[in-house]
């Protein structure tokens, strides 16, 4: 049954039988049969078919998706406990951090609460803000740190530390852009619009760390966190207005296991800023 629920969850998220089959390493006919079996056992229609591969979830599927996520979360916790029968098992803790928060906020937070980490099995991913919110809604992360004021109805968002962006690099150099969905990309597009910049000569770099290293080599110009330049005084930069002072947020799923709720509450109560 849990395999069929995993199939439903994947189909719901991809809205495509073929894509779901590729992700689950199953054949497309197998995916289709499992969904039909699930619909028959529940006596509801979960997807309206739009052609051979595409489908639209029904209202019943929207409700069932939320229930399935909770069931699979409990199942994962039980499996983890079964695989660690000796002693007190650690609680799985999946954290997503945007590129800037992963470098300048999360390490200091974890150091501050190092003793509490002994009861947690951490799995930390570096993603952009939009990807973190998406994975939170899919229960693939428990909580995360983002740079954009994004949220969803089943997520709790708490403001943390502020961060000032600056314009770094030389004005004759190409623009180094983060990918769409990144907090820095959002601010860069606003800056370009505000200053009537065409942004014709650009490079897309999906890493803040690489952007900083390119700037150190005299390559490119970019909006970056002022914190990213503290160790690199050789990189030329100029300040921007408070319009480019952004907020870091902690975003968490509702109904987390009690140990994770306590850890998130502890992080939110930590005095900031942390250097």
């Amino acid at each position: 049954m849990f395999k069929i629920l995993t199939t439903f969850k994947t189909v719901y998220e991809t809205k495509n039988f073929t894509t779901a089959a590729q992700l689950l390493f199953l054949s497309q006919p197998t995916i289709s049969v499992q969904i039909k079996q699930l619909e028959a056992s529940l006596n509801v229609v979960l997807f309206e078919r739009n052609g051979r591969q595409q489908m639209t979830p029904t209202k019943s599927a929207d409700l069932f998706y939320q229930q399935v996520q909770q069931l699979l979360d409990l199942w994962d916790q039980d499996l983890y406990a079964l695989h660690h029968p000796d002693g007190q098992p650690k609680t799985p803790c999946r954290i997503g951090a945007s590129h800037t928060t992963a470098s300048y906020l999360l390490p200091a937070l974890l150091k501050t609460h190092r003793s509490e980490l002994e009861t947690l099995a951490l799995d930390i991913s570096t993603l952009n803000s939009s990807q973190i919110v998406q994975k939170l809604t899919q229960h693939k992360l428990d909580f995360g740190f983002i740079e954009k004021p994004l949220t969803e109805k089943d997520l709790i968002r708490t403001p943390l530390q502020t961060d000032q962006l600056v314009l770094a690099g030389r004005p004759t150099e190409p623009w180094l852009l983060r990918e769409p969905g990144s907090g820095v990309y959002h601010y860069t597009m606003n800056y370009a619009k505000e200053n009537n910049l065409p942004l014709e000569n650009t490079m897309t770099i999906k890493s803040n760390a690489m952007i900083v290293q390119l700037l150190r080599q005299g390559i490119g110009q970019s909006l970056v966190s002022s914190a990213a330049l503290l160790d690199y005084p050789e990189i030329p930069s100029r300040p921007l207005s408070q319009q480019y002072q952004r907020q870091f947020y902690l975003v968490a799923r509702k109904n987390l296991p009690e140990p994770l709720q306590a850890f998130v509450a502890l992080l939110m109560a930590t005095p900031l800023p942390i250097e």
Side-chain angles (χ1 to χ4, degrees), residues 132-204:
I132 289 171
V133 170
Q134 180 184 39
K135 288 185 178 295
L136 284 168
T137 60
Q138 297 173 351
H139 285 219
K140 294 177 180 177
L141 293 173
D142 297 308
F143 63 91
F145 299 87
I146 62 175
E147 307 164 21
K148 292 171 63 178
L150 303 172
T151 192
E152 293 286 345
K153 63 179 181 179
D154 294 318
L155 301 179
I156 301 170
R157 189 188 73 199
T158 303
L160 295 175
Q161 185 170 328
T162 57
D163 177 56
Q164 179 65 52
L165 294 175
V166 298
L167 177 57
R170 296 176 173 83
T172 56
E173 288 289 318
W175 277 88
L176 308 179
L177 303 180
R178 285 290 309 280
E179 74 282 3
S182 155
V184 173
Y185 179 87
H186 167 76
Y187 281 98
T188 303
M189 292 301 103
N190 285 347
Y191 181 84
K193 183 177 180 180
E194 184 182 74
N195 293 276
N196 296 315
L197 299 177
L199 292 185
E200 294 174 346
N201 189 13
T202 67
M203 291 188 283
T204 298

Side-chain angles (χ1 to χ4, degrees), residues 109 112-113 158-160 250 262-272 274:
L109 276 172
T112 301
H113 301 293
T158 303
L160 295 175
L250 190 156
F263 187 56
V264 168
L266 191 64
L267 295 178
M268 290 192 298
T270 302
L272 295 171
I274 291 180

